Amino acid sequence: MAFTLPDLPYAHDALASLGMSKETLEYHHDLHHKAYVDNGNKLIAGTEWESKSLEEIVKGTYQAGAVAQNGIFNNASQHWNHNLFWEVMGPGEDKKMPGDLEKALVEAFGSVAKFKEDFAAAGAGQFGSGWAWLVKDADGALKITKTENGVNPLCFNQTALLGCDVWEHSYYIDFRNKRPAYLTNFLDKLVNWEAVAAKL
């Protein structure tokens, strides 16, 4: 199935007052994400993956234990990752966390504050490029994970509830090399908690 670049669910300047500039979204969505879509389409053309769903491609091309993943996986997974990333952010100054999500986070991590602390630490501690995740395991337990490059929770049969891109192109324009500040801002100002709760 051909990859398609989705429109952002908000205007390019909608998150500027919250710490993610129009310039960042123009580079990150319009150029970086588009490159994963275009390259992915070229790589799957004429292969067994051409008619598969995006999720099937990610799961089917992931190579556990590989030092480096293959090109089809890298582009497909990054397309999937970014689709989720745009969905879990949103405009608006006062984003309330739904009660069911808050309860689940308190049960899993002790408090919402501790969840945010641990999530930010996972993202800051990911060496090089990658992602920080809030996932639901097959047994229903919530966990914080981090992955290198484009690897994502689909590879481990987990459900991704929240993902934060910690590749430098996601934050360098707005935060330079201050990844921890970017992560704190993401959690405090950018996350659309209703979108996260809907994935529970």
Side-chain angles (χ1 to χ4, degrees), residues 87-104:
E87 288 174 9
V88 298
M89 295 188 292
E93 297 289 337
D94 187 24
K95 299 187 183 72
K96 297 213 182 304
M97 183 180 289
D100 56 342
L101 176 60
E102 182 175 1
K103 180 183 177 185

Side-chain angles (χ1 to χ4, degrees), residues 117-128:
E117 179 185 336
D118 290 354
F119 186 96
Q126 172 56 40
F127 182 76

